[in-house]
Amino acid sequence: MNPPSMSPVSIHHTLFLLLFLIPRPSLAQANIPVPSSLTATNGNSSSWLSPSRDFAFGFRSLSNGDTKKNQLFLLAIWYNKIPSKTIVWFPSEGLPAPPVPENSKVELTNSGLVLINPQGEELWKPGNVSGTVSHAVFNDTGNFVILDSSSEVLWQSFDNPWDTLLPSQVLGKGKSLSSRQSEESFSRGRFQLRMLDTGDLVLNTINLPSDYANEAYYNSTATDDSSNGSTPGKELVFNSSGSLFVSKENGERLYLSQRDISPASDSYHRVTLNFDGVLIQYKHPKNSGSNGSWEPLWSQPEDICAKVTVRDGIGVCGYNSICTLGENNRPKCNCPEKFTLLDPSDKYGSCRPNFTQSCADDQERTKLGPMEDLYGFEELTNTDWPTSDYALLQPFGENDCRNSCLHDCMCAVAVWRDGRSCWKKKLPLSNGKIVPTLDGKAMIKVPKRDFPPTDFPLQEPKARYKDPKTLVLVGSVLLGSSVFVNFVLFGACMVFFLIYRKQLKKVSTKGTVVETNLRHFTYQELFRATNGFMEEIGSGAFGIVYKGVISNNVAVAVKKLTSMMRDKEKEFRTEVNVIGQTHHKNLVRLLGFCDEGQERLLVYEFLSNGSLSDHLFAGDPKLKTPWNLRCQIVLGVARGLMYLHDECPKQIIHCDIKPQNILLDNNCVAKISDFGMAKLLMMNQSHTMTNIRGTRGYCAPEWFRNLPITVKVDVYSFGVLLLEIISCRSCWGSESSGEEREIEALTDWAYDCFTEGRLDALVEGDAQALRDTEKLKNLVMVAFWCIQEEPSLRPTMRKVTQMLDGAVGVPDPPCPFPFSSCNTTIVP
Ligand SMILES: *[C@@H]1O[C@H](CO)[C@@H](O)[C@H](O)[C@H]1NC(C)=O
Ligand SMILES: *[C@@H]1O[C@H](CO)[C@@H](O)[C@H](O)[C@H]1NC(C)=O
Ligand SMILES: *[C@@H]1O[C@H](CO)[C@@H](O)[C@H](O)[C@H]1NC(C)=O
Ligand SMILES: *[C@@H]1O[C@H](CO)[C@@H](O)[C@H](O)[C@H]1NC(C)=O
Ligand SMILES: *[C@@H]1O[C@H](CO)[C@@H](O)[C@H](O)[C@H]1NC(C)=O
Ligand SMILES: *[C@@H]1O[C@H](CO)[C@@H](O)[C@H](O)[C@H]1NC(C)=O
Ligand SMILES: *[C@@H]1O[C@H](CO)[C@@H](O)[C@H](O)[C@H]1NC(C)=O
Ligand SMILES: *[C@@H]1O[C@H](CO)[C@@H](O)[C@H](O)[C@H]1NC(C)=O
């Protein structure tokens, strides 16, 4: 039969026959018509199969030990015929879609694919489907393709991979793979494989939750030893026979895995970026019954422990952990003796010492005996934490090295190597690894016996907090005045005391009966409110802030905290309630929160005018915030801080006062944000005290000196902020030269201006400020009181507010930096 002459009837006939010849399920399931849907249910979980039944697309139940009641499902593509049912794709596009509850649905409609919960609310859809969908095809390659009526591809899973590539898939420039957080957790991990625009294929870590990419630990271009190594790459190709190569601009190939690979017809192949950062190509025999397993064919890097050293973030293992190479080039992480996992379920996470040691502790402990009796050393051959040292002593013998660390209260570990070098290191230790070429050892300082714990409190008991200077003043007034005045004063004190006691009582009852109007949101509500966490408006150590809209068109800022330890729900609620009980004109209002599963979110009022840093350092002198407004902002911040320290039901130390954390409302009223975060961060598994100590440039010397952390750290930061507001200069110096020296510059320079009587230089000739000299000089002097190195010299925020108000005079401040040279003569 000649095809062109075939009649319509015979075509119909042939098609009809074909329908019978091809097994029905495959044909029906490979072409998915519009509309179609799948439901997430237990047992008979529905899925669509590729024609060969090799791959399935649908819902997978996640068995993470949860009770059957809260069973969650993941929309995914997986190998259908092998026992391990390995998952190769799940919805991502930026961030992974969350696991969904039972009876959620995925629907294919005219407008594309959409994942909805049992209430019919949309949870996820592919970001970029434009056009009218006619049908979808589930290819035998494992690619799920959405097509329009002219068979144009509108969207395909191969363009949006998460951690796995399949044969015939290509990774173009600008595209990347991300690791999962762990084998079982499908949230975003910290390793990436990226095909850069420059044509380099690299592996790197990122500093979650930001995208900041650290130095690459694998770079295809650097391994390219062909004479044409300079030709840039174009894309990473995983061809249908299982060969993996970088295809270059000039058509040449840089082979990554072997060229001869067992035929794709006998084996499944995949390339996966594992959660521990190792990129592996695997194969699995197709027809092996229940015996087969994934066999690694190729992997990079060869020694991940040696290759990954992250200066500005976490390495392969968490803090204080040690990386060793296990099977198949996969890393293993171990805590040293006397250290335990922070989160016992995360073997790759940080370790914490099960003892305390600090300079304050040591001062107490010297009463118990000589250092030699108190501390010993655990030795680990050829072990190093290469990024945690603070001192190099050489030439030094082993015993000198040990003694030096023993008597140095800052020293946590000494690494002695090459027979002469002694590196002293502090906690937290990072990038721990075995280095065979070290020719030395690590000596970890550990207590020889158990000491009672002496954690320093972040929240001081309120009643104990007294300003010694006030007491001295009262005393001297009493001594120096007449009996009658004394009598009157005594009476006044009694009245004051009674009122104070009453207030204390009120406070304590308020503290126990937690009564707030905080709204409890579900994760889905916030997911919708923020349009799937679309619009990012800020980020910090705690996580990322997104803009959103809740009911009644109220704009909100939703703060998504980095994941917390699982068993900290009660503590989280306690702290959220503390924040929720604050009510002050100069504080950003907390509206509600969400604590569902691992997710922790806070919902705040949205302030349209941005942060103080946007206004202060705008650059254009014409846009400079006027002097009067600046004075008003200063007073607002001071009042907000005074409330946090002194007046709210439970004292809150902010720990991170800086212009980025001062927001302005429509009327340019300053509102402090992020208060209460320090305690929340402490709860978080991935944070230690050192992460919390605010922001460089604004943090008080106590943070570095192991002194108790009190409200005075905020007073210090406020002082730096005050100088910034006066001068409209960042303590970081100009944008272009963010050198560490510049941080000192603002305070030093301001003090020089002050002592030389050149306040005009400080405000850069701001006419309005110069007309207001008295006020200007007052503000500057208050700032120098606040940034005194000695915490007890700094005033309380109440005193600061009074000085700013003009209610009390401002005495001449002493030099704030007694340890550096100060010009003490002040020009009047
Ligand atoms: C699965 O479906 C089959 C046929 O529809 C039914 O016989 C079976 O009971 C179902 N199993 C479960 C666990 O629902
Ligand atoms: C959306 O799809 C078009 C066409 O496929 C593509 O050119 C564009 O880059 C895509 N945009 C995003 C944000 O992925
Ligand atoms: C499905 O895969 C085959 C090769 O296996 C390819 O020729 C075809 O174009 C693919 N279909 C779609 C819709 O991508
Ligand atoms: C990768 O290596 C090449 C050659 O050594 C180098 O030019 C390039 O900058 C490297 N890329 C990255 C991201 O490190
Ligand atoms: C290098 O590239 C040039 C031009 O692209 C080509 O003529 C030459 O054969 C290449 N050399 C090798 C060893 O591939
Ligand atoms: C994949 O690449 C290998 C190595 O170059 C080659 O032998 C094989 O024919 C390629 N397969 C396909 C389908 O192009
Ligand atoms: C699986 O392994 C067992 C023992 O190792 C062997 O007896 C059996 O034949 C294997 N089955 C297949 C299908 O290879
Ligand atoms: C610390 O761990 C050691 C064993 O590693 C144990 O003997 C000791 O009791 C622990 N101390 C504390 C305070 O938990």
Side-chain angles (χ1 to χ4, degrees), residues 128 130 153-154 159-160 175:
N128 196 10
S130 53
V153 174
L154 297 177
D159 281 344
N160 298 280
K175 293 273 184 176

Side-chain angles (χ1 to χ4, degrees), residues 137 139-141 143 145 147 153 156:
V137 168
N139 222 331
D140 267 340
T141 52
N143 191 11
V145 189
L147 301 150
V153 174
Q156 52 185 337

Side-chain angles (χ1 to χ4, degrees), residues 341-543:
L341 282 173
L342 206 52
D343 175 0
S345 66
D346 182 9
K347 283 189 292 188
Y348 296 82
S350 297
C351 311
R352 63 173 177 80
N354 82 345
F355 55 87
T356 62
Q357 189 257 318
S358 69
C359 291
D361 286 343
D362 279 6
Q363 229 164 25
E364 282 297 306
R365 287 172 190 170
T366 45
K367 293 172 197 156
L368 304 172
M371 279 296 157
E372 284 78 1
D373 291 352
L374 302 179
Y375 295 102
F377 287 89
E378 296 284 345
E379 299 192 354
L380 292 169
T381 312
N382 287 348
T383 303
D384 197 9
W385 285 274
T387 55
S388 309
D389 33 69
Y390 65 90
L392 166 61
L393 310 172
Q394 65 185 160
F396 245 56
E398 183 182 336
N399 271 334
D400 293 336
C401 187
R402 197 188 300 259
N403 274 329
S404 172
C405 185
L406 184 65
H407 294 285
D408 179 350
C409 63
M410 305 274 178
C411 183
V413 171
V415 169
W416 185 71
R417 58 180 298 189
D418 305 326
R420 64 191 301 269
S421 308
C422 177
W423 297 89
K424 290 205 282 186
K425 295 170 191 278
K426 58 190 180 339
L427 296 180
L429 304 159
S430 51
N431 295 293
K433 57 186 75 173
I434 310 278
V435 183
T437 57
L438 188 80
D439 184 20
K441 58 181 157 189
M443 300 180 282
I444 307 174
K445 186 158 87 179
V446 293
K448 283 188 176 168
R449 52 171 132 153
D450 286 347
F451 300 112
T454 54
D455 283 349
F456 58 80
L458 203 62
Q459 284 181 345
E460 288 203 13
K462 219 175 149 157
R464 246 179 40 200
Y465 207 81
K466 283 179 193 141
D467 192 341
K469 263 187 281 177
T470 326
L471 291 182
V472 171
L473 187 74
V474 170
S476 53
V477 168
L478 281 178
L479 287 175
S481 47
S482 75
V483 176
F484 174 72
V485 173
N486 271 352
F487 189 73
V488 171
L489 264 177
F490 183 71
C493 279
M494 280 308 288
V495 170
F496 174 76
F497 180 69
L498 288 176
I499 294 173
Y500 183 65
R501 252 212 350 207
K502 221 167 153 189
Q503 260 179 353
L504 260 188
K505 244 187 183 160
K506 225 164 70 192
V507 163
S508 56
T509 47
K510 226 160 136 196
T512 47
V513 187
V514 173
E515 246 180 81
T516 55
N517 295 323
L518 291 183
R519 184 168 154 202
H520 189 231
F521 290 89
T522 66
Y523 186 77
Q524 278 157 25
E525 273 177 291
L526 294 182
F527 190 86
R528 259 185 314 140
T530 55
N531 214 345
F533 301 106
M534 281 274 282
E535 192 181 337
E536 190 180 319
I537 51 178
S539 64
F542 49 79

Side-chain angles (χ1 to χ4, degrees), residues 549-566:
V549 176
I550 53 173
S551 45
N552 313 330
N553 276 336
V554 177
V556 291
V558 178
K559 186 169 290 181
K560 201 163 188 264
L561 306 181
T562 41
S563 53
M564 295 274 173
M565 278 169 89
R566 232 160 280 150

